[in-house]
Amino acid sequence: MNKKVLSVLQYILFLGLSIFLVWWSIKDISDKGWDDIKGAFRNANYLLIIPVMITLLLSHFSRAMRWKILMEPLGYKPRVFNTYMAVLIGYMANLAIPRLGEVLKCTILARYEKVPADKLVGTIVAERAFDVLCLLLVIVITIATQADVIGGYLNETLHKIVQSKAGAFSTTRIIILLAVVVIAILAVVFILKKFSHSSFIKKIKTIFEGIWHGITSVRYLKNKGWFIFHTIFIWTMYLLSVQIGFWAMKETSIYGIPQALSVLTMGSLAMIVPAPGAGLGVYALFVQNTMLAYGLKETLGFAFGQLMWSVQFFFALISGFIALSILPYFNKSITVNEKS
């Protein structure tokens, strides 16, 4: 019962955070700003939603194939269709409760294939661990290719933090900022040493050990080449979906791959936050601030972030629902054919 209560409280907490971030994003928007947002949505090219959905379908198919490759060392070879449908259903489940999809897709696949659900947990850990590594690589590439823009934006943000109301550097603010950073670091070190025996700290260590084990387990795969190919393809499709999204709005059509790379980076970081609705509030806010660094008006950045989030949300909802509907029918047909 305590675990259930904790889960409910955690869900309410992150839902509240999402609602707060949505409010934070729109609280200072003027009437002119709302007119800009309405105009951006009204004039958007919604036909481009189709190629965006195609890129997402392809990326999810590659994710299913990569997951299938991770199962091979365990001696399991599930059907491609069932694996793909399980992945789509997993994304739909994540809209309701973050991380639920990782468990549900294992359960779904175990139901229609001769694969024990508990045996698939390790493959999920390995897959997510490799995704973390890929995200770190994407972050490094983004910073390396756009150091001037990112550096300038961080410098401007830092100036806002440490400057006084008069515009001069505030020594007091700098000292407070440095003190907070030092105290935070010392607090983390103290907690890790003092409570190293606690179940919470052990759980954190287990997570990091699992990530490392997942990354290093790739060397045991038979099809390493295909695993790497699908990984690169997945992130390429993600990047392409953002670029196509730029073309959907007149105000963002001038941006290219470098800017899409930054949006992909910040959007992926937003998805890490366990907020309901696949980053509700968080995704749009991160994208809005990212595009602000490239000179896009704050209101238009908000509109673009909401547009991208909406497409991903409804894609996951519709594709997951279709997958959930046709999966029993497909497997019923397969069973009949096998009996025949």
Side-chain angles (χ1 to χ4, degrees):
M1 179 61 70
N2 289 334
K3 287 185 177 180
K4 289 183 178 180
V5 172
L6 185 62
S7 297
V8 171
L9 290 176
Q10 186 180 17
Y11 182 82
I12 293 173
L13 173 65
F14 284 109
L15 178 61
L17 174 63
S18 298
I19 296 172
F20 170 77
L21 290 175
V22 171
W23 171 80
W24 182 268
S25 300
I26 65 176
K27 68 182 181 68
D28 295 325
I29 297 178
S30 62
D31 292 340
K32 176 63 170 62
W34 281 114
D35 289 338
D36 290 340
I37 293 172
K38 292 175 184 177
F41 276 109
R42 186 167 52 247
N43 299 321
N45 184 358
Y46 290 102
L47 287 176
L48 289 175
I49 291 177
I50 297 173
V52 169
M53 288 190 170
I54 291 173
T55 61
L56 294 176
L57 280 171
L58 290 173
S59 68
H60 291 354
F61 179 76
S62 248
R63 186 171 290 279
M65 294 301 295
R66 193 179 67 168
W67 187 27
K68 194 171 180 294
I69 291 172
L70 286 170
M71 296 181 215
E72 289 178 357
L74 302 176
Y76 303 117
K77 294 184 178 180
R79 298 182 185 92
V80 173
F81 181 85
N82 284 342
T83 309
Y84 187 28
M85 294 300 104
V87 168
L88 294 178
I89 293 169
Y91 276 105
M92 181 182 68
N94 283 335
L95 298 179
I97 302 177
R99 310 296 177 260
L100 173 64
E102 312 307 325
V103 177
L104 186 60
K105 71 180 187 180
C106 293
T107 306
I108 291 290
L109 197 61
R111 179 179 179 181
Y112 294 107
E113 298 284 345
K114 296 177 181 179
V115 183
D118 58 330
K119 298 292 183 182
L120 296 177
V121 175
T123 62
I124 298 298
V125 172
E127 189 184 22
R128 288 295 170 239
F130 214 73
D131 281 338
V132 170
L133 183 64
C134 290
L135 178 56
L136 291 175
L137 182 61
V138 169
I139 292 172
V140 170
I141 294 172
T142 303
I143 294 174
T145 56
Q146 299 168 81
D148 53 339
V149 177
I150 296 172
Y153 181 70
L154 292 176
N155 186 46
E156 183 182 344
T157 304
L158 185 61
H159 270 70
K160 290 180 180 178
I161 294 173
V162 300
Q163 280 181 347
S164 63
K165 292 182 178 179
F169 275 100
S170 172
T171 306
T172 305
R173 288 192 178 188
I174 295 173
I175 293 173
I176 292 174
L177 182 63
L178 291 174
V180 169
V181 172
V182 172
I183 291 172
I185 293 173
L186 292 175
V188 170
V189 173
F190 173 77
I191 291 172
L192 289 176
K193 288 184 177 180
K194 183 71 175 178
F195 302 99
S196 58
H197 60 282
S198 71
S199 58
F200 178 72
I201 299 299
K202 287 180 179 178
K203 187 175 181 180
I204 292 176
K205 289 181 178 179
T206 301
I207 290 173
F208 280 102
E209 288 172 358
I211 291 174
W212 176 249
H213 177 72
I215 294 171
T216 55
S217 66
V218 175
R219 68 178 185 269
Y220 299 114
L221 298 176
K222 294 180 181 178
N223 299 312
K224 296 184 186 70
W226 278 112
F227 183 89
I228 300 297
F229 168 79
H230 285 299
T231 299
I232 295 174
F233 186 79
I234 289 168
W235 286 88
T236 302
M237 289 298 101
Y238 287 165
L239 182 62
L240 184 58
S241 69
V242 177
Q243 179 59 69
I244 297 172
F246 280 152
W247 296 333
M249 284 175 54
K250 180 183 177 181
E251 296 82 1
T252 56
S253 59
I254 60 173
Y255 298 113
I257 295 298
Q259 293 79 17
L261 196 60
S262 293
V263 171
L264 174 62
T265 299
M266 297 308 295
S268 299
L269 290 173
M271 290 299 185
I272 293 176
V273 180
L280 173 64
V282 186
Y283 183 89
L285 182 64
F286 276 37
V287 171
Q288 179 185 19
N289 283 282
T290 301
M291 295 310 299
L292 195 62
Y294 292 98
L296 187 67
K297 289 174 63 175
E298 194 171 4
T299 51
L300 296 176
F302 173 79
F304 176 71
Q306 286 294 338
L307 180 64
M308 291 297 295
W309 174 83
S310 299
V311 171
Q312 295 178 59
F313 178 87
F314 286 107
F315 167 78
L317 186 66
I318 294 169
S319 61
F321 178 77
I322 292 173
L324 192 62
S325 301
I326 65 176
L327 195 57
Y329 177 78
F330 174 82
N331 283 277
K332 182 179 180 181
S333 302
I334 290 292
T335 304
V336 171
N337 290 334
E338 286 176 351
K339 287 181 179 180
S340 300

